[in-house]
Amino acid sequence: CHLYEADGPAGEHEWVDAVRARHSHLIRSVRRRFEVLRGEDKPQRRQFDGEEIDLDAQVDARADRLSGAEPSARLFIHRRRIERSLAVMFMVDMSGSTKGWVNDAERESLVLLCEAIEALGDRYAIYGFSGWTRTRCDIYRIKTFGERYDAATRRRIAGIEARDYTRMGVAVRHLSRLLHRQKARHKLLVTLSDGRPDDHGDEYRGRYGIEDTRRALLEAREKGIRSYCVTIDRHGADYLPQLYGPAHYSVIDDARKLPQKIAEIYRKLPG
């Protein structure tokens, strides 16, 4: 495949300002969810001392006493503050089928997500992908890991637009490679899409495109990268289990639900 990486085109900053004003209440709500994650502690059970009593350990100790065995002195829970070490790559579908309300919802959701993730301080990047056959696979830099969520990034989010086709395998491989370079204990690749892998002509459509994407995701997993897909394709249940497994995708009917869905995904991850 011939892959071309370039900066995403800049859109109007007034559009982002309007989204932030229109969804200010939702931004505050999602940000609170993420701030809770930042402040979570990890319980270490069966400790010699701690802030809480370990009820399970107490029950076991009681049973040991009744049976004549020596009970353990590890009866407490010590809570250790989690030092987060997470890098997230958002891979955004910019295929022609997203034109219209889907594209608008994707962009709005990314604004809401960025506003929320900034509260956590996690490293994250956003790249768009599209293309036209294997000779033209386009990757658009919206936000790299080293860039701040500043006015330039916000303008590039505003500039995300529907383009060509959904050749997904090559995008997964390239962005997984960028994510793999990050020095973090946990790495997550989140795909935002409205449909199955597709390309111009008949070669990539159907089984081939699905198998190519599945193989790319397996290669990412071998690098220690977890993958998750959020799609608004109502027929996604037909093929997504083959790509991501039954527990690593969500089919939603409104892309504006994306920030809450991502918060749920984050909630299940270690720091």
Side-chain angles (χ1 to χ4, degrees):
C1 293
H2 297 237
L3 185 140
Y4 301 87
E5 183 180 314
D7 288 333
E12 299 177 356
H13 66 85
E14 292 87 357
W15 180 87
V16 177
D17 293 339
V19 170
R20 296 167 81 182
R22 185 165 62 253
H23 296 296
S24 59
H25 177 73
L26 181 56
I27 288 173
R28 288 194 296 270
S29 174
V30 176
R31 186 178 291 160
R32 282 195 296 269
R33 289 193 181 191
F34 279 76
E35 287 173 345
V36 168
L37 297 179
R38 181 184 61 185
E40 282 188 339
D41 297 328
K42 182 177 181 180
Q44 295 179 309
R45 299 183 177 278
R46 299 182 184 275
Q47 302 297 307
F48 286 113
D49 55 61
E51 298 82 9
E52 302 175 29
I53 294 174
D54 190 331
L55 294 179
D56 290 338
Q58 292 280 356
V59 170
D60 290 343
R62 176 68 174 171
D64 289 340
R65 289 192 192 96
L66 293 176
S67 66
E70 182 69 23
S72 172
R74 295 176 176 270
L75 304 175
F76 299 92
I77 296 175
H78 173 66
R79 292 194 171 273
R80 179 176 60 85
R81 180 55 58 99
I82 296 174
E83 295 181 4
R84 299 186 61 82
S85 181
L86 177 65
V88 186
M89 170 71 75
F90 291 100
M91 188 176 101
V92 184
D93 183 357
M94 291 172 58
S95 62
S97 60
T98 64
K99 185 176 182 179
W101 75 271
V102 174
N103 177 256
D104 291 340
E106 279 184 340
R107 293 185 297 153
E108 288 190 8
S109 295
L110 287 171
V111 171
L112 301 180
L113 273 174
C114 291
E115 295 283 341
I117 296 176
E118 286 294 309
L120 270 178
D122 287 343
R123 280 170 283 176
Y124 68 102
I126 304 170
Y127 285 76
F129 73 99
S130 182
W132 186 286
T133 75
R134 65 182 181 83
T135 64
R136 185 76 201 188
C137 303
D138 295 318
I139 299 290
Y140 299 96
R141 291 184 295 266
I142 309 301
K143 179 189 177 301
T144 66
F145 284 106
E147 290 179 321
R148 299 174 56 192
Y149 176 60
D150 55 15
T153 297
R154 290 192 286 270
R155 284 196 297 270
R156 286 194 291 270
I157 291 175
I160 292 175
E161 61 182 4
R163 291 181 179 270
D164 299 308
Y165 287 89
T166 322
R167 196 177 190 99
M168 198 174 290
V170 62
V172 170
R173 289 183 175 93
H174 180 67
L175 298 183
S176 295
R177 191 155 44 246
L178 298 181
L179 177 57
H180 184 60
R181 295 174 186 168
Q182 297 302 304
K183 295 180 179 180
R185 286 198 308 271
H186 307 288
K187 299 168 187 178
L188 178 65
L189 173 68
V190 179
T191 303
L192 315 179
S193 176
D194 76 327
R196 69 179 65 220
D198 188 26
D199 204 348
H200 179 70
D202 297 328
E203 291 183 1
Y204 199 80
R205 287 181 175 169
R207 191 69 186 174
Y208 184 92
I210 290 175
E211 288 299 324
D212 177 48
T213 305
R214 186 179 72 86
R215 182 63 224 171
L217 291 168
L218 287 173
E219 292 166 5
R221 188 184 307 170
E222 291 167 359
K223 296 177 182 177
I225 296 173
R226 305 182 187 198
S227 300
Y228 200 96
C229 179
V230 180
T231 180
I232 56 174
D233 181 5
R234 294 173 179 83
H235 302 290
D238 297 340
Y239 60 90
L240 285 171
Q242 303 172 50
L243 299 182
Y244 293 91
H248 297 95
Y249 73 91
S250 296
V251 180
I252 58 177
D253 57 4
D254 183 350
R256 277 168 282 268
K257 297 177 182 177
L258 178 62
Q260 291 89 336
K261 182 55 64 177
I262 297 298
E264 292 174 17
I265 298 169
Y266 261 62
R267 184 69 175 79
K268 298 174 184 177
L269 290 172

PDB file of all heavy atoms in Angstrom, residues 167-198:
ATOM      1  N   ARG A 167     -10.417   1.947   3.709  1.00  0.00           N
ATOM      2  CA  ARG A 167      -9.410   0.878   3.720  1.00  0.00           C
ATOM      3  C   ARG A 167      -8.760   0.896   5.103  1.00  0.00           C
ATOM      4  O   ARG A 167      -7.833   1.648   5.372  1.00  0.00           O
ATOM      5  CB  ARG A 167      -8.377   1.094   2.616  1.00  0.00           C
ATOM      6  CG  ARG A 167      -7.562  -0.178   2.342  1.00  0.00           C
ATOM      7  CD  ARG A 167      -6.582   0.009   1.193  1.00  0.00           C
ATOM      8  NE  ARG A 167      -5.986  -1.255   0.803  1.00  0.00           N
ATOM      9  CZ  ARG A 167      -6.386  -1.993  -0.230  1.00  0.00           C
ATOM     10  NH1 ARG A 167      -7.394  -1.575  -0.989  1.00  0.00           N
ATOM     11  NH2 ARG A 167      -5.794  -3.139  -0.522  1.00  0.00           N
ATOM     12  N   MET A 168      -9.223   0.032   5.971  1.00  0.00           N
ATOM     13  CA  MET A 168      -8.928   0.149   7.391  1.00  0.00           C
ATOM     14  C   MET A 168      -7.632  -0.540   7.816  1.00  0.00           C
ATOM     15  O   MET A 168      -6.945  -0.080   8.728  1.00  0.00           O
ATOM     16  CB  MET A 168     -10.103  -0.425   8.195  1.00  0.00           C
ATOM     17  CG  MET A 168     -10.148   0.003   9.646  1.00  0.00           C
ATOM     18  SD  MET A 168     -11.645  -0.560  10.488  1.00  0.00           S
ATOM     19  CE  MET A 168     -12.890   0.459   9.701  1.00  0.00           C
ATOM     20  N   GLY A 169      -7.271  -1.652   7.180  1.00  0.00           N
ATOM     21  CA  GLY A 169      -6.109  -2.415   7.622  1.00  0.00           C
ATOM     22  C   GLY A 169      -4.829  -1.615   7.635  1.00  0.00           C
ATOM     23  O   GLY A 169      -4.063  -1.640   8.606  1.00  0.00           O
ATOM     24  N   VAL A 170      -4.558  -0.883   6.560  1.00  0.00           N
ATOM     25  CA  VAL A 170      -3.318  -0.116   6.477  1.00  0.00           C
ATOM     26  C   VAL A 170      -3.298   0.994   7.521  1.00  0.00           C
ATOM     27  O   VAL A 170      -2.243   1.298   8.104  1.00  0.00           O
ATOM     28  CB  VAL A 170      -3.136   0.459   5.050  1.00  0.00           C
ATOM     29  CG1 VAL A 170      -4.262   1.426   4.689  1.00  0.00           C
ATOM     30  CG2 VAL A 170      -1.784   1.148   4.922  1.00  0.00           C
ATOM     31  N   ALA A 171      -4.446   1.605   7.809  1.00  0.00           N
ATOM     32  CA  ALA A 171      -4.506   2.651   8.835  1.00  0.00           C
ATOM     33  C   ALA A 171      -4.230   2.071  10.216  1.00  0.00           C
ATOM     34  O   ALA A 171      -3.504   2.669  11.019  1.00  0.00           O
ATOM     35  CB  ALA A 171      -5.884   3.331   8.803  1.00  0.00           C
ATOM     36  N   VAL A 172      -4.800   0.904  10.515  1.00  0.00           N
ATOM     37  CA  VAL A 172      -4.552   0.252  11.805  1.00  0.00           C
ATOM     38  C   VAL A 172      -3.061  -0.026  11.975  1.00  0.00           C
ATOM     39  O   VAL A 172      -2.475   0.227  13.037  1.00  0.00           O
ATOM     40  CB  VAL A 172      -5.362  -1.052  11.922  1.00  0.00           C
ATOM     41  CG1 VAL A 172      -4.917  -1.862  13.146  1.00  0.00           C
ATOM     42  CG2 VAL A 172      -6.854  -0.748  12.012  1.00  0.00           C
ATOM     43  N   ARG A 173      -2.424  -0.542  10.945  1.00  0.00           N
ATOM     44  CA  ARG A 173      -0.999  -0.883  11.046  1.00  0.00           C
ATOM     45  C   ARG A 173      -0.134   0.360  11.264  1.00  0.00           C
ATOM     46  O   ARG A 173       0.770   0.365  12.103  1.00  0.00           O
ATOM     47  CB  ARG A 173      -0.553  -1.624   9.782  1.00  0.00           C
ATOM     48  CG  ARG A 173      -1.122  -3.031   9.680  1.00  0.00           C
ATOM     49  CD  ARG A 173      -0.596  -3.772   8.447  1.00  0.00           C
ATOM     50  NE  ARG A 173      -1.073  -5.143   8.441  1.00  0.00           N
ATOM     51  CZ  ARG A 173      -2.192  -5.554   7.822  1.00  0.00           C
ATOM     52  NH1 ARG A 173      -2.943  -4.674   7.160  1.00  0.00           N
ATOM     53  NH2 ARG A 173      -2.558  -6.815   7.867  1.00  0.00           N
ATOM     54  N   HIS A 174      -0.409   1.405  10.520  1.00  0.00           N
ATOM     55  CA  HIS A 174       0.411   2.617  10.636  1.00  0.00           C
ATOM     56  C   HIS A 174       0.211   3.283  11.988  1.00  0.00           C
ATOM     57  O   HIS A 174       1.192   3.641  12.669  1.00  0.00           O
ATOM     58  CB  HIS A 174       0.047   3.594   9.513  1.00  0.00           C
ATOM     59  CG  HIS A 174       0.839   4.864   9.549  1.00  0.00           C
ATOM     60  ND1 HIS A 174       2.198   4.900   9.310  1.00  0.00           N
ATOM     61  CD2 HIS A 174       0.463   6.149   9.822  1.00  0.00           C
ATOM     62  CE1 HIS A 174       2.629   6.150   9.420  1.00  0.00           C
ATOM     63  NE2 HIS A 174       1.591   6.927   9.722  1.00  0.00           N
ATOM     64  N   LEU A 175      -1.027   3.441  12.411  1.00  0.00           N
ATOM     65  CA  LEU A 175      -1.287   4.144  13.670  1.00  0.00           C
ATOM     66  C   LEU A 175      -0.891   3.297  14.870  1.00  0.00           C
ATOM     67  O   LEU A 175      -0.491   3.837  15.914  1.00  0.00           O
ATOM     68  CB  LEU A 175      -2.760   4.550  13.735  1.00  0.00           C
ATOM     69  CG  LEU A 175      -3.192   5.525  12.620  1.00  0.00           C
ATOM     70  CD1 LEU A 175      -4.643   5.931  12.785  1.00  0.00           C
ATOM     71  CD2 LEU A 175      -2.292   6.761  12.593  1.00  0.00           C
ATOM     72  N   SER A 176      -0.987   1.973  14.751  1.00  0.00           N
ATOM     73  CA  SER A 176      -0.496   1.105  15.823  1.00  0.00           C
ATOM     74  C   SER A 176       1.008   1.268  16.005  1.00  0.00           C
ATOM     75  O   SER A 176       1.523   1.232  17.126  1.00  0.00           O
ATOM     76  CB  SER A 176      -0.821  -0.363  15.520  1.00  0.00           C
ATOM     77  OG  SER A 176      -2.209  -0.587  15.520  1.00  0.00           O
ATOM     78  N   ARG A 177       1.715   1.444  14.897  1.00  0.00           N
ATOM     79  CA  ARG A 177       3.161   1.646  14.971  1.00  0.00           C
ATOM     80  C   ARG A 177       3.486   2.946  15.711  1.00  0.00           C
ATOM     81  O   ARG A 177       4.399   2.992  16.545  1.00  0.00           O
ATOM     82  CB  ARG A 177       3.742   1.664  13.562  1.00  0.00           C
ATOM     83  CG  ARG A 177       5.249   1.616  13.504  1.00  0.00           C
ATOM     84  CD  ARG A 177       5.772   1.039  12.204  1.00  0.00           C
ATOM     85  NE  ARG A 177       5.072   1.571  11.034  1.00  0.00           N
ATOM     86  CZ  ARG A 177       4.295   0.844  10.224  1.00  0.00           C
ATOM     87  NH1 ARG A 177       4.095  -0.430  10.462  1.00  0.00           N
ATOM     88  NH2 ARG A 177       3.711   1.392   9.176  1.00  0.00           N
ATOM     89  N   LEU A 178       2.736   4.003  15.441  1.00  0.00           N
ATOM     90  CA  LEU A 178       2.945   5.269  16.149  1.00  0.00           C
ATOM     91  C   LEU A 178       2.617   5.122  17.637  1.00  0.00           C
ATOM     92  O   LEU A 178       3.329   5.657  18.497  1.00  0.00           O
ATOM     93  CB  LEU A 178       2.074   6.364  15.532  1.00  0.00           C
ATOM     94  CG  LEU A 178       2.340   6.721  14.061  1.00  0.00           C
ATOM     95  CD1 LEU A 178       1.409   7.845  13.620  1.00  0.00           C
ATOM     96  CD2 LEU A 178       3.794   7.120  13.843  1.00  0.00           C
ATOM     97  N   LEU A 179       1.543   4.404  17.926  1.00  0.00           N
ATOM     98  CA  LEU A 179       1.133   4.205  19.316  1.00  0.00           C
ATOM     99  C   LEU A 179       2.142   3.339  20.068  1.00  0.00           C
ATOM    100  O   LEU A 179       2.435   3.584  21.249  1.00  0.00           O
ATOM    101  CB  LEU A 179      -0.256   3.563  19.341  1.00  0.00           C
ATOM    102  CG  LEU A 179      -0.855   3.200  20.703  1.00  0.00           C
ATOM    103  CD1 LEU A 179      -0.923   4.427  21.612  1.00  0.00           C
ATOM    104  CD2 LEU A 179      -2.243   2.592  20.521  1.00  0.00           C
ATOM    105  N   HIS A 180       2.675   2.344  19.395  1.00  0.00           N
ATOM    106  CA  HIS A 180       3.627   1.426  20.025  1.00  0.00           C
ATOM    107  C   HIS A 180       4.884   2.150  20.510  1.00  0.00           C
ATOM    108  O   HIS A 180       5.530   1.723  21.479  1.00  0.00           O
ATOM    109  CB  HIS A 180       4.004   0.321  19.030  1.00  0.00           C
ATOM    110  CG  HIS A 180       4.905  -0.733  19.595  1.00  0.00           C
ATOM    111  ND1 HIS A 180       4.562  -1.512  20.673  1.00  0.00           N
ATOM    112  CD2 HIS A 180       6.158  -1.115  19.232  1.00  0.00           C
ATOM    113  CE1 HIS A 180       5.548  -2.352  20.953  1.00  0.00           C
ATOM    114  NE2 HIS A 180       6.526  -2.123  20.105  1.00  0.00           N
ATOM    115  N   ARG A 181       5.244   3.253  19.870  1.00  0.00           N
ATOM    116  CA  ARG A 181       6.443   4.002  20.249  1.00  0.00           C
ATOM    117  C   ARG A 181       6.278   4.752  21.572  1.00  0.00           C
ATOM    118  O   ARG A 181       7.266   5.199  22.170  1.00  0.00           O
ATOM    119  CB  ARG A 181       6.790   5.008  19.155  1.00  0.00           C
ATOM    120  CG  ARG A 181       7.191   4.377  17.826  1.00  0.00           C
ATOM    121  CD  ARG A 181       7.369   5.464  16.774  1.00  0.00           C
ATOM    122  NE  ARG A 181       7.621   4.909  15.450  1.00  0.00           N
ATOM    123  CZ  ARG A 181       7.582   5.621  14.332  1.00  0.00           C
ATOM    124  NH1 ARG A 181       7.309   6.926  14.391  1.00  0.00           N
ATOM    125  NH2 ARG A 181       7.804   5.052  13.163  1.00  0.00           N
ATOM    126  N   GLN A 182       5.036   4.914  22.023  1.00  0.00           N
ATOM    127  CA  GLN A 182       4.795   5.675  23.244  1.00  0.00           C
ATOM    128  C   GLN A 182       5.247   4.893  24.470  1.00  0.00           C
ATOM    129  O   GLN A 182       5.016   3.688  24.571  1.00  0.00           O
ATOM    130  CB  GLN A 182       3.310   6.038  23.365  1.00  0.00           C
ATOM    131  CG  GLN A 182       2.816   6.941  22.265  1.00  0.00           C
ATOM    132  CD  GLN A 182       3.600   8.240  22.194  1.00  0.00           C
ATOM    133  OE1 GLN A 182       3.702   8.973  23.172  1.00  0.00           O
ATOM    134  NE2 GLN A 182       4.163   8.526  21.033  1.00  0.00           N
ATOM    135  N   LYS A 183       5.882   5.593  25.406  1.00  0.00           N
ATOM    136  CA  LYS A 183       6.339   4.960  26.638  1.00  0.00           C
ATOM    137  C   LYS A 183       5.212   5.003  27.668  1.00  0.00           C
ATOM    138  O   LYS A 183       5.106   5.939  28.472  1.00  0.00           O
ATOM    139  CB  LYS A 183       7.593   5.664  27.166  1.00  0.00           C
ATOM    140  CG  LYS A 183       8.792   5.519  26.233  1.00  0.00           C
ATOM    141  CD  LYS A 183      10.015   6.216  26.785  1.00  0.00           C
ATOM    142  CE  LYS A 183      11.215   6.038  25.855  1.00  0.00           C
ATOM    143  NZ  LYS A 183      12.437   6.722  26.377  1.00  0.00           N
ATOM    144  N   ALA A 184       4.348   4.018  27.591  1.00  0.00           N
ATOM    145  CA  ALA A 184       3.221   3.914  28.518  1.00  0.00           C
ATOM    146  C   ALA A 184       2.974   2.441  28.809  1.00  0.00           C
ATOM    147  O   ALA A 184       3.194   1.584  27.947  1.00  0.00           O
ATOM    148  CB  ALA A 184       1.966   4.556  27.923  1.00  0.00           C
ATOM    149  N   ARG A 185       2.508   2.153  30.005  1.00  0.00           N
ATOM    150  CA  ARG A 185       2.228   0.754  30.358  1.00  0.00           C
ATOM    151  C   ARG A 185       1.061   0.207  29.561  1.00  0.00           C
ATOM    152  O   ARG A 185       1.046  -0.958  29.179  1.00  0.00           O
ATOM    153  CB  ARG A 185       1.917   0.643  31.856  1.00  0.00           C
ATOM    154  CG  ARG A 185       3.096   0.764  32.774  1.00  0.00           C
ATOM    155  CD  ARG A 185       2.792   0.227  34.158  1.00  0.00           C
ATOM    156  NE  ARG A 185       1.581   0.800  34.721  1.00  0.00           N
ATOM    157  CZ  ARG A 185       1.554   1.921  35.449  1.00  0.00           C
ATOM    158  NH1 ARG A 185       2.681   2.589  35.669  1.00  0.00           N
ATOM    159  NH2 ARG A 185       0.423   2.383  35.950  1.00  0.00           N
ATOM    160  N   HIS A 186       0.063   1.040  29.328  1.00  0.00           N
ATOM    161  CA  HIS A 186      -1.146   0.598  28.659  1.00  0.00           C
ATOM    162  C   HIS A 186      -1.381   1.456  27.417  1.00  0.00           C
ATOM    163  O   HIS A 186      -1.254   2.685  27.463  1.00  0.00           O
ATOM    164  CB  HIS A 186      -2.349   0.687  29.596  1.00  0.00           C
ATOM    165  CG  HIS A 186      -2.124  -0.018  30.902  1.00  0.00           C
ATOM    166  ND1 HIS A 186      -2.097  -1.384  31.013  1.00  0.00           N
ATOM    167  CD2 HIS A 186      -1.892   0.476  32.145  1.00  0.00           C
ATOM    168  CE1 HIS A 186      -1.873  -1.716  32.264  1.00  0.00           C
ATOM    169  NE2 HIS A 186      -1.737  -0.609  32.978  1.00  0.00           N
ATOM    170  N   LYS A 187      -1.741   0.798  26.312  1.00  0.00           N
ATOM    171  CA  LYS A 187      -1.946   1.484  25.040  1.00  0.00           C
ATOM    172  C   LYS A 187      -3.270   1.040  24.438  1.00  0.00           C
ATOM    173  O   LYS A 187      -3.561  -0.163  24.386  1.00  0.00           O
ATOM    174  CB  LYS A 187      -0.785   1.179  24.085  1.00  0.00           C
ATOM    175  CG  LYS A 187       0.559   1.659  24.642  1.00  0.00           C
ATOM    176  CD  LYS A 187       1.740   1.112  23.874  1.00  0.00           C
ATOM    177  CE  LYS A 187       3.044   1.485  24.588  1.00  0.00           C
ATOM    178  NZ  LYS A 187       4.223   0.930  23.908  1.00  0.00           N
ATOM    179  N   LEU A 188      -4.049   2.005  23.987  1.00  0.00           N
ATOM    180  CA  LEU A 188      -5.398   1.743  23.498  1.00  0.00           C
ATOM    181  C   LEU A 188      -5.604   2.396  22.141  1.00  0.00           C
ATOM    182  O   LEU A 188      -5.323   3.581  21.965  1.00  0.00           O
ATOM    183  CB  LEU A 188      -6.429   2.282  24.504  1.00  0.00           C
ATOM    184  CG  LEU A 188      -7.907   2.150  24.135  1.00  0.00           C
ATOM    185  CD1 LEU A 188      -8.334   0.680  24.069  1.00  0.00           C
ATOM    186  CD2 LEU A 188      -8.771   2.902  25.152  1.00  0.00           C
ATOM    187  N   LEU A 189      -6.090   1.610  21.191  1.00  0.00           N
ATOM    188  CA  LEU A 189      -6.447   2.109  19.862  1.00  0.00           C
ATOM    189  C   LEU A 189      -7.967   2.101  19.745  1.00  0.00           C
ATOM    190  O   LEU A 189      -8.593   1.043  19.801  1.00  0.00           O
ATOM    191  CB  LEU A 189      -5.827   1.224  18.773  1.00  0.00           C
ATOM    192  CG  LEU A 189      -6.239   1.530  17.330  1.00  0.00           C
ATOM    193  CD1 LEU A 189      -5.692   2.888  16.890  1.00  0.00           C
ATOM    194  CD2 LEU A 189      -5.754   0.434  16.380  1.00  0.00           C
ATOM    195  N   VAL A 190      -8.562   3.281  19.592  1.00  0.00           N
ATOM    196  CA  VAL A 190     -10.018   3.403  19.495  1.00  0.00           C
ATOM    197  C   VAL A 190     -10.373   3.853  18.083  1.00  0.00           C
ATOM    198  O   VAL A 190      -9.929   4.913  17.625  1.00  0.00           O
ATOM    199  CB  VAL A 190     -10.580   4.414  20.515  1.00  0.00           C
ATOM    200  CG1 VAL A 190     -12.099   4.529  20.368  1.00  0.00           C
ATOM    201  CG2 VAL A 190     -10.232   3.980  21.931  1.00  0.00           C
ATOM    202  N   THR A 191     -11.159   3.038  17.390  1.00  0.00           N
ATOM    203  CA  THR A 191     -11.601   3.364  16.039  1.00  0.00           C
ATOM    204  C   THR A 191     -13.002   3.944  16.082  1.00  0.00           C
ATOM    205  O   THR A 191     -13.905   3.362  16.690  1.00  0.00           O
ATOM    206  CB  THR A 191     -11.591   2.113  15.141  1.00  0.00           C
ATOM    207  OG1 THR A 191     -10.283   1.546  15.141  1.00  0.00           O
ATOM    208  CG2 THR A 191     -11.985   2.467  13.716  1.00  0.00           C
ATOM    209  N   LEU A 192     -13.199   5.091  15.436  1.00  0.00           N
ATOM    210  CA  LEU A 192     -14.514   5.707  15.306  1.00  0.00           C
ATOM    211  C   LEU A 192     -14.924   5.569  13.848  1.00  0.00           C
ATOM    212  O   LEU A 192     -14.304   6.151  12.970  1.00  0.00           O
ATOM    213  CB  LEU A 192     -14.472   7.187  15.709  1.00  0.00           C
ATOM    214  CG  LEU A 192     -13.721   7.539  16.995  1.00  0.00           C
ATOM    215  CD1 LEU A 192     -13.761   9.035  17.234  1.00  0.00           C
ATOM    216  CD2 LEU A 192     -14.301   6.785  18.170  1.00  0.00           C
ATOM    217  N   SER A 193     -15.972   4.796  13.592  1.00  0.00           N
ATOM    218  CA  SER A 193     -16.331   4.499  12.214  1.00  0.00           C
ATOM    219  C   SER A 193     -17.836   4.372  12.077  1.00  0.00           C
ATOM    220  O   SER A 193     -18.552   4.153  13.056  1.00  0.00           O
ATOM    221  CB  SER A 193     -15.647   3.195  11.771  1.00  0.00           C
ATOM    222  OG  SER A 193     -16.042   2.841  10.462  1.00  0.00           O
ATOM    223  N   ASP A 194     -18.296   4.481  10.828  1.00  0.00           N
ATOM    224  CA  ASP A 194     -19.727   4.302  10.592  1.00  0.00           C
ATOM    225  C   ASP A 194     -20.000   3.064   9.732  1.00  0.00           C
ATOM    226  O   ASP A 194     -21.124   2.867   9.277  1.00  0.00           O
ATOM    227  CB  ASP A 194     -20.326   5.542   9.915  1.00  0.00           C
ATOM    228  CG  ASP A 194     -19.975   5.612   8.432  1.00  0.00           C
ATOM    229  OD1 ASP A 194     -18.869   5.153   8.066  1.00  0.00           O
ATOM    230  OD2 ASP A 194     -20.793   6.112   7.649  1.00  0.00           O
ATOM    231  N   GLY A 195     -18.995   2.256   9.486  1.00  0.00           N
ATOM    232  CA  GLY A 195     -19.253   1.090   8.653  1.00  0.00           C
ATOM    233  C   GLY A 195     -18.087   0.140   8.556  1.00  0.00           C
ATOM    234  O   GLY A 195     -17.030   0.359   9.150  1.00  0.00           O
ATOM    235  N   ARG A 196     -18.257  -0.909   7.772  1.00  0.00           N
ATOM    236  CA  ARG A 196     -17.247  -1.948   7.626  1.00  0.00           C
ATOM    237  C   ARG A 196     -16.112  -1.495   6.710  1.00  0.00           C
ATOM    238  O   ARG A 196     -16.247  -0.527   5.969  1.00  0.00           O
ATOM    239  CB  ARG A 196     -17.892  -3.217   7.060  1.00  0.00           C
ATOM    240  CG  ARG A 196     -18.357  -3.100   5.620  1.00  0.00           C
ATOM    241  CD  ARG A 196     -18.965  -4.420   5.148  1.00  0.00           C
ATOM    242  NE  ARG A 196     -20.172  -4.752   5.882  1.00  0.00           N
ATOM    243  CZ  ARG A 196     -20.473  -5.997   6.281  1.00  0.00           C
ATOM    244  NH1 ARG A 196     -19.668  -6.989   6.000  1.00  0.00           N
ATOM    245  NH2 ARG A 196     -21.581  -6.218   6.931  1.00  0.00           N
ATOM    246  N   PRO A 197     -14.963  -2.209   6.759  1.00  0.00           N
ATOM    247  CA  PRO A 197     -13.866  -1.890   5.827  1.00  0.00           C
ATOM    248  C   PRO A 197     -14.349  -1.951   4.379  1.00  0.00           C
ATOM    249  O   PRO A 197     -15.085  -2.854   3.995  1.00  0.00           O
ATOM    250  CB  PRO A 197     -12.843  -2.995   6.122  1.00  0.00           C
ATOM    251  CG  PRO A 197     -13.148  -3.435   7.516  1.00  0.00           C
ATOM    252  CD  PRO A 197     -14.634  -3.306   7.660  1.00  0.00           C
ATOM    253  N   ASP A 198     -13.910  -0.977   3.576  1.00  0.00           N
ATOM    254  CA  ASP A 198     -14.401  -0.893   2.200  1.00  0.00           C
ATOM    255  C   ASP A 198     -13.374  -0.122   1.367  1.00  0.00           C
ATOM    256  O   ASP A 198     -12.563   0.634   1.901  1.00  0.00           O
ATOM    257  CB  ASP A 198     -15.753  -0.176   2.177  1.00  0.00           C
ATOM    258  CG  ASP A 198     -16.419  -0.232   0.802  1.00  0.00           C
ATOM    259  OD1 ASP A 198     -16.125  -1.179   0.048  1.00  0.00           O
ATOM    260  OD2 ASP A 198     -17.208   0.673   0.487  1.00  0.00           O
TER     261      ASP A 198
END
